[in-house]
Amino acid sequence: MTWRKGDNIELSIEKMAYGGRGVGRLDGLVVFVQGGVPGDRLLARIIRKKRGFAEAVAVELLSPSPDRVPAPCPYFGWCGGCQWQDVVYERQLAYKREHVLESLAHIGGLKEAMVNPCIPSEKVFGYRNKMEFTFSDRRWYLPHELDMRQIEGDFALGLHVPGAFQKVIDIEACLLQNETGNQILELVRRYARDSGIPVYGLKTHQGFWRYLTIRYSNARDEWMVNIVTSEDRPDRVQPLADLLACRVERLATVVNNINSRGASIAVGERETVLFGDGCIRDRIGPFDFRISANSFFQTNSRGAQRLYETVLRYADVDGSETVVDLYSGTGTIALFLADKVERVIGIEISRGAAQDAAMNARKNGIDNCRFICGDIREKLGEIGNAPDLLVIDPPRAGMHKDVLAQIMALSPQKIVYVSCNPATLARDLGVMTDRYDLLKVQPVDMFPHTYHIEAVAGLTLRRK
């Protein structure tokens, strides 16, 4: 039978695809179903038809999967933050391991790769130490909210609707952050709405209130609030900072980033400290980190500790090694390795991150780490001899082909590759295993209820 866009189809979901959609088959046609869970029998509507596959959305659940659980969040299915709140957590971990296995096999040609079970997150809710919310003048109403439009208006402070950047769901609380974070969210919402000062329009580029970023230190139980506005108007933001300082326990600082550009980012061209000293401090393992409003820091602190402990275990060092840490960021992996090796050299293209890394090393009393700022394609050749261990933690896009070629020419004895994207991990490992043995891969879950997964791979140079 020939299926078309708009047709309703009945099918069973067999597996979970990377990206969070269920996969079923109908008359030889592969169908990706948003909202499908393996084990479901459901009615779905085709929304896009291509040669060989179709995309669909679930219309009616005919027979639920035994892996389904009620999603506790009222915004689930509409907000793009979580895809799997309705799936039991143990099965989420299994799906993530399968994604790593399938990527290694189909993209990297590594069908025999040993992939361990996922290391779970210590918390499955309230695990995020950073949340970013967007102000909008185009509130997107959920179906049960439609009769509120005339009363509530277009104001929103919340999270984006997937595929519609200018539309924002007005979020009262997000279960991925601590409850105090939700208190801060509500205080800022009420103040901004009652202020009569217009929010920033993502299409018009007019208005004042742009973003709210909330950061939390689990180690010190302290909070940072970053209010991003389009103008520098202390008369508008200082009263809000004073209100937060009065009402929020354990509030350490409030800052105002001013972003007058059209770019939709919660980072300002300049920053004003409204309360406190402009930073908070957190720990990963035994190390202290100073976190400013725009610093990069892993969003799951406890998960990051497990990730870096895995890196250290896979590094298998004896204390005599020289280590090169590529894409070293703010130095977190380098610090974890520092007292276990002879020296660490980090390379990072972001000047701010490289400066933060050097400062973090000093503050933790570490003197055998050196951080080089620059493009890895240019700086790796300046290292000289091959290091005993190379640690790679690239962005989602993986390594640039020129960097990969340099690494293969350098031929360090051991490599530990940390990845947040199974596809690019598999692509790069497929090249590296021409000369290296892939020992094992360890997935580490830092983002429960999403399809995202970190993975650590250990490689050793093959003997000739």
Side-chain angles (χ1 to χ4, degrees):
M1 182 174 179
T2 301
W3 302 99
R4 295 181 175 84
K5 179 180 177 180
D7 286 346
N8 285 344
I9 57 175
E10 186 176 322
L11 78 167
S12 297
I13 302 301
E14 302 168 2
K15 59 186 292 186
M16 190 71 82
Y18 186 70
R21 295 181 296 177
V23 181
R25 294 178 184 272
L26 189 66
D27 299 332
L29 180 69
V30 177
V31 185
F32 296 92
V33 183
Q34 190 67 43
V37 174
D40 282 344
R41 182 73 183 172
L42 49 74
L43 185 69
R45 179 175 295 116
I46 295 175
I47 58 172
R48 192 171 291 108
K49 174 69 167 58
K50 301 287 185 180
R51 178 177 295 181
F53 74 94
E55 298 176 9
V57 294
V59 174
E60 182 182 353
L61 188 59
L62 304 175
S63 175
S65 166
D67 298 329
R68 280 190 175 272
V69 294
C73 177
Y75 309 104
F76 176 74
W78 307 103
C79 161
C82 299
Q83 300 84 35
W84 290 344
Q85 273 193 25
D86 58 349
V87 179
V88 66
Y89 183 56
E90 289 73 19
R91 292 303 300 159
Q92 294 181 31
L93 296 175
Y95 299 152
K96 294 183 183 193
R97 178 176 180 269
E98 289 171 8
H99 291 161
V100 176
L101 277 166
E102 290 179 356
S103 294
L104 291 174
H106 297 152
I107 299 173
L110 304 170
K111 297 182 179 180
E112 304 300 322
M114 186 173 79
V115 179
N116 294 331
C118 287
I119 296 175
S121 176
E122 187 174 287
K123 293 182 177 181
V124 296
F125 288 105
Y127 62 84
R128 288 190 65 97
N129 58 36
K130 178 185 177 184
M131 287 294 300
E132 181 183 303
F133 300 98
T134 303
F135 286 98
S136 176
D137 61 354
R138 292 170 63 90
R139 176 175 172 178
W140 194 86
Y141 283 87
L142 274 60
H144 69 275
E145 299 175 331
L146 294 178
D147 59 353
M148 300 164 51
R149 284 180 292 186
Q150 289 187 342
I151 300 172
E152 295 286 335
D154 293 324
F155 174 95
L157 173 59
L159 300 172
H160 289 266
V161 178
F165 81 96
Q166 77 279 14
K167 295 181 180 180
V168 172
I169 301 172
D170 195 54
I171 301 287
E172 291 185 4
C174 177
L175 300 183
L176 299 188
Q177 70 174 351
N178 183 299
E179 186 53 40
T180 299
N182 292 321
Q183 177 193 353
I184 293 169
L185 174 64
E186 183 58 24
L187 286 169
V188 173
R189 172 190 289 102
R190 289 182 183 178
Y191 180 90
R193 182 163 190 158
D194 295 345
S195 71
I197 303 165
V199 299
Y200 189 84
L202 296 175
K203 279 196 167 184
T204 65
H205 299 293
Q206 300 294 317
F208 182 72
W209 306 106
R210 295 197 69 170
Y211 297 97
L212 167 67
T213 302
I214 303 171
R215 305 190 80 146
Y216 175 62
S217 164
N218 187 72
R220 295 189 177 223
D221 188 24
E222 62 183 22
W223 293 84
M224 166 191 285
V225 177
N226 178 19
I227 306 156
V228 183
T229 61
S230 62
E231 299 177 67
D232 186 4
R233 291 290 303 272
D235 59 311
R236 295 180 172 183
V237 292
Q238 188 62 57
L240 174 55
D242 296 341
L243 173 67
L244 293 168
C246 178
R247 299 282 295 277
V248 179
E249 292 186 17
R250 308 297 301 174
L251 181 68
T253 189
V254 181
V255 300
N256 175 206
N257 268 241
I258 297 93
N259 178 10
S260 60
R261 298 166 294 182
S264 297
I265 54 173
V267 177
E269 302 147 281
R270 57 192 184 281
E271 178 178 295
T272 302
V273 177
L274 305 173
F275 171 75
D277 65 0
C279 70
I280 55 175
R281 291 161 181 81
D282 206 349
R283 292 177 70 84
I284 298 180
F287 303 108
D288 288 301
F289 295 91
R290 181 183 183 275
I291 305 166
S292 59
N294 299 318
S295 294
F296 171 79
F297 195 70
Q298 291 282 4
T299 54
N300 183 336
S301 303
R302 292 290 296 155
Q305 180 174 340
R306 295 185 176 191
L307 181 70
Y308 299 148
E309 287 170 349
T310 302
V311 171
L312 186 59
R313 188 168 67 251
Y314 277 30
D316 189 26
V317 292
D318 62 20
S320 64
E321 292 88 353
T322 292
V323 180
V324 172
D325 179 14
L326 302 185
Y327 311 92
S328 54
T330 54
T332 46
I333 291 177
L335 267 58
F336 262 76
L337 288 166
D339 66 347
K340 305 291 192 301
V341 300
E342 182 69 25
R343 63 174 180 150
V344 182
I345 302 168
I347 305 178
E348 168 58 45
I349 197 168
S350 166
R351 182 165 302 279
Q355 291 172 343
D356 284 347
M359 179 184 64
N360 287 330
R362 289 195 302 272
K363 287 185 174 295
N364 285 279
I366 293 171
D367 58 8
N368 65 335
C369 288
R370 178 165 66 96
F371 297 96
I372 300 171
C373 180
D375 191 319
I376 292 172
R377 290 174 291 180
E378 300 171 0
K379 298 298 181 180
L380 187 56
E382 300 175 9
I383 296 299
N385 296 330
D388 303 294
L389 169 67
L390 186 69
V391 177
I392 309 165
D393 186 9
R396 289 189 60 79
M399 284 188 284
H400 190 281
K401 62 180 181 180
D402 293 345
V403 174
L404 183 54
Q406 283 184 275
I407 289 170
M408 297 298 286
L410 197 60
S411 299
Q413 186 63 39
K414 290 192 290 187
I415 295 175
V416 177
Y417 191 135
V418 185
S419 173
C420 61
N421 185 341
T424 53
L425 171 68
R427 180 200 68 197
D428 292 346
L429 292 182
V431 175
M432 297 167 76
T433 49
D434 284 346
R435 298 191 60 191
Y436 283 83
D437 291 322
L438 176 61
L439 303 179
K440 52 189 172 181
V441 179
Q442 177 62 68
V444 181
D445 187 26
M446 295 172 60
F447 311 103
H449 310 303
T450 79
Y451 62 85
H452 298 292
I453 183 67
E454 297 274 342
V456 181
L459 302 101
T460 58
L461 188 64
R462 191 176 299 122
R463 293 181 180 178
K464 296 182 180 180

